[in-house]
Amino acid sequence: MGFKYLSVLAVGLLFQVNSLKAQETLTLQEAIKYALENKAEAKTAKLDVENAQYQIDEVRAGALPQINASGSLKYNILIPEMVIDMDGQVITARMGLPWNSNAVVSLNQQLFNQSLFTGLKAAKTTREFYQVNAQLTDEQLIEKVSNSYYDIFQTQLQLQTIQNNLENTSKTHRIINGMVDAGLAKKIDLDRLSVAVNNLESQKQQILSALEMKKNALKFAIGMPMERDIDLPEETFEINPAISLETNNIENRSEILLSIKQIELYELNKKAKKADLYPQLSLGTDFGFTGFGKGFPIGGDFMWPKTSSIGLNLSIPIFTGGATKARINQADIDIRKAKVALEDTKLGIALANENARTQIKNSLLTVDANRRNVVLAKEVLSDTQNNYNNGLATLTDLLDAEKALADAETNLNTSLLDYKLAEIQLIKAKGNLKTLINE
């Protein structure tokens, strides 16, 4: 039995050690970096930037010489005939031989094509658009991860508050239990304490479940496998009152820069529509062989006369029935709509900025008041415990004092979370969310 007990104990200790090793402490900076490397949105945005370069290459290829080679081999089952009038006498003549073939290499070079030149500018602007979009995607991901991270932090603080309250109530329960056994306290007081302990245990389990779900939400937000166990470091929220006084320039926000690039793309689209009114000029040349013979080209009696030509191709649009003008007007509407959206985006950012600044100021006042309340609640609880031990306070007074301290600590944790969320919004308003990676 002793050997089996030691074996089970050893296996249990080994399992605990492995569990501890599997759990990792995740800082905010580490969570953000992990998300930027692994989350689908970040990966997709980077692929869009890479793909934009390929789009530029595709458009640029249209401005380079286009060289093509072609060939054909044909057997004329019926050789075409032509009717010829020879001084009043009509005769027919066979035109060609049974076997025909040709091999040609041709080159075409665009000399003037306004649509092509505009498309090249649009492709470059598209790449810049996706670069800004990738930056915005990273910032949105940072904001999402930070909010999720601090939500977990607040829940951990709430769990600690419940744990402290549970320990105090359990300690009182043990004391009263001894006093009941000694006939110095009432059984009803012990029962009330038992109910209070059970309620706190239930609250603790609910918070533990909520904490686990929030950790899973964070892992999803950063693209981490669900089977990995994470924990947040034991640290406190830092308060920076000066942040509410800092100014920012919304023109540097990624949302604004992205809207500006969108307008540039619409303007280039309008130029592309106008380019349909311009003539197009290209240079074309070719060189090849045209073969004729009575037998199959290989090993037969075959002739291969050379062919070659060079020339200019000019296309001038004259009348399209107003279709080009309609397309230009539609493109202009897109530009005007994008400018309206830009102004609305600026207004929304300014609103979010002012709301965050107001929330910061309110949170600072609330945090200060809640900290003073926690100090007072601790003093009240200490005095009430002494009075209860000396018979000067009831059990109800003691339980109320413990609950008041727990409420004060919960309110403090909530106000700290509100501050951090508003702080993230102010950092976002300045366009400095990426500084959270290097804190």
Side-chain angles (χ1 to χ4, degrees):
M1 290 295 292
F3 177 76
K4 290 184 179 179
Y5 174 78
L6 291 175
S7 298
V8 172
L9 180 61
V11 171
L13 290 174
L14 181 61
F15 176 78
Q16 290 181 351
V17 170
N18 289 335
S19 298
L20 291 174
K21 287 183 178 179
Q23 190 175 44
E24 57 183 297
T25 301
L26 194 68
T27 65
L28 176 59
Q29 294 74 27
E30 291 169 345
I32 292 174
K33 289 179 181 178
Y34 192 97
L36 295 180
E37 293 175 0
N38 297 277
K39 189 58 178 172
E41 296 97 302
K43 290 181 178 180
T44 301
K46 291 180 177 65
L47 289 174
D48 286 336
V49 174
E50 181 181 348
N51 190 58
Q53 182 58 48
Y54 300 141
Q55 293 176 347
I56 294 176
D57 295 341
E58 180 184 6
V59 177
R60 185 186 292 120
L64 299 176
Q66 306 296 304
I67 302 175
N68 295 286
S70 62
S72 67
L73 176 64
K74 180 171 67 173
Y75 175 73
N76 295 311
I77 299 175
L78 295 176
I79 298 175
E81 295 181 348
M82 179 174 287
V83 179
I84 303 174
D85 187 347
M86 299 290 289
D87 297 329
Q89 183 178 1
V90 178
I91 64 173
T92 60
R94 297 174 66 183
M95 308 297 294
L97 295 173
W99 288 91
N100 287 35
S101 67
N102 67 73
V104 180
V105 175
S106 63
L107 179 145
N108 186 275
Q109 172 64 58
Q110 294 288 335
L111 299 179
F112 181 81
N113 188 330
Q114 190 61 34
S115 296
L116 179 62
F117 302 149
T118 303
L120 186 58
K121 293 180 181 178
K124 292 180 179 179
T125 304
T126 299
R127 178 178 60 184
E128 296 170 357
F129 173 87
Y130 281 121
Q131 287 173 339
V132 177
N133 185 66
Q135 178 178 329
L136 176 60
T137 300
D138 287 349
E139 291 174 356
Q140 291 173 338
L141 197 53
I142 291 172
E143 179 185 4
K144 183 178 180 180
V145 171
S146 299
N147 290 339
S148 181
Y149 186 91
Y150 285 127
D151 191 24
I152 294 176
F153 218 117
Q154 191 258 359
T155 304
Q156 287 189 166
L157 293 176
Q158 186 179 0
L159 177 63
Q160 185 60 49
T161 296
I162 292 294
Q163 183 62 37
N164 293 339
N165 194 5
L166 179 61
E167 291 176 357
N168 290 333
T169 305
S170 297
K171 180 180 179 181
T172 304
H173 181 273
R174 289 192 296 271
I175 294 173
I176 297 301
N177 186 41
M179 295 176 67
V180 168
D181 292 340
L184 301 176
K186 299 178 180 178
K187 180 67 166 53
I188 190 174
D189 288 345
L190 182 62
D191 293 340
R192 291 181 61 191
L193 284 170
S194 297
V195 172
V197 169
N198 292 335
N199 288 337
L200 289 172
E201 287 284 4
S202 177
Q203 293 177 31
K204 179 181 177 181
Q205 290 303 316
Q206 292 175 3
I207 294 177
L208 283 172
S209 297
L211 181 61
E212 188 64 27
M213 288 188 288
K214 290 180 179 181
K215 285 183 177 181
N216 289 337
L218 176 62
K219 285 186 281 188
F220 176 78
I222 65 177
M224 178 178 286
M226 291 295 160
E227 60 269 15
R228 292 179 63 173
D229 194 9
I230 61 172
D231 195 12
L232 273 59
E234 294 184 2
E235 56 186 50
T236 57
F237 289 119
E238 295 182 3
I239 301 298
N240 179 19
I243 193 173
S244 62
L245 304 176
E246 297 177 359
T247 58
N248 54 74
N249 181 12
I250 66 172
E251 299 297 329
N252 295 327
R253 287 282 295 269
S254 296
E255 294 92 333
I256 302 297
L257 298 177
L258 191 67
S259 295
I260 292 174
K261 286 298 174 185
Q262 183 67 72
I263 293 174
E264 290 180 14
L265 286 173
Y266 283 137
E267 289 173 343
L268 287 170
N269 180 56
K270 182 179 178 180
K271 289 182 179 180
K273 303 303 181 185
K274 287 183 176 180
D276 292 339
L277 300 174
Y278 288 81
Q280 296 182 9
L281 179 65
S282 64
L283 171 67
T285 181
D286 60 68
F287 176 82
F289 299 88
T290 301
F292 303 93
K294 295 181 179 180
F296 192 75
I298 300 177
D301 183 12
F302 224 77
M303 295 177 291
W304 292 94
K306 299 176 182 178
T307 64
S308 181
S309 66
I310 185 170
L312 294 174
N313 300 308
L314 178 64
S315 174
I316 302 176
I318 296 176
F319 180 69
T320 61
T324 301
K325 183 180 179 181
R327 287 193 290 266
I328 293 173
N329 291 336
Q330 292 177 51
D332 186 65
I333 292 295
D334 289 336
I335 295 173
R336 289 153 61 185
K337 287 169 62 178
K339 289 182 177 179
V340 171
L342 174 59
E343 293 304 315
D344 189 62
T345 299
K346 289 182 178 180
L347 185 61
I349 290 175
L351 173 63
N353 181 25
E354 289 304 313
N355 286 345
R357 197 181 300 278
T358 301
Q359 183 62 48
I360 282 282
K361 294 177 181 179
N362 291 338
S363 295
L364 288 172
L365 295 174
T366 305
V367 167
D368 181 65
N370 286 334
R371 280 178 171 168
R372 286 186 275 110
N373 284 342
V374 169
V375 173
L376 290 175
K378 288 181 178 179
E379 293 177 355
V380 170
L381 177 59
S382 179
D383 292 340
T384 304
Q385 286 176 332
N386 289 331
N387 290 337
Y388 180 77
N389 294 335
N390 295 319
L392 302 177
T394 64
L395 179 61
T396 299
D397 296 333
L398 181 58
L399 294 176
D400 288 344
E402 290 179 349
K403 185 178 184 302
L405 175 58
D407 291 343
E409 290 178 340
T410 298
N411 292 337
L412 175 59
N413 295 337
T414 301
S415 61
L416 286 171
L417 176 63
D418 291 340
Y419 167 83
K420 294 305 292 186
L421 296 181
E423 184 183 61
I424 292 172
Q425 291 304 311
L426 272 184
I427 295 174
K428 176 183 177 181
K430 294 187 294 183
N432 294 331
L433 277 174
K434 287 196 171 182
T435 59
L436 293 174
I437 304 176
N438 303 319
E439 283 188 351

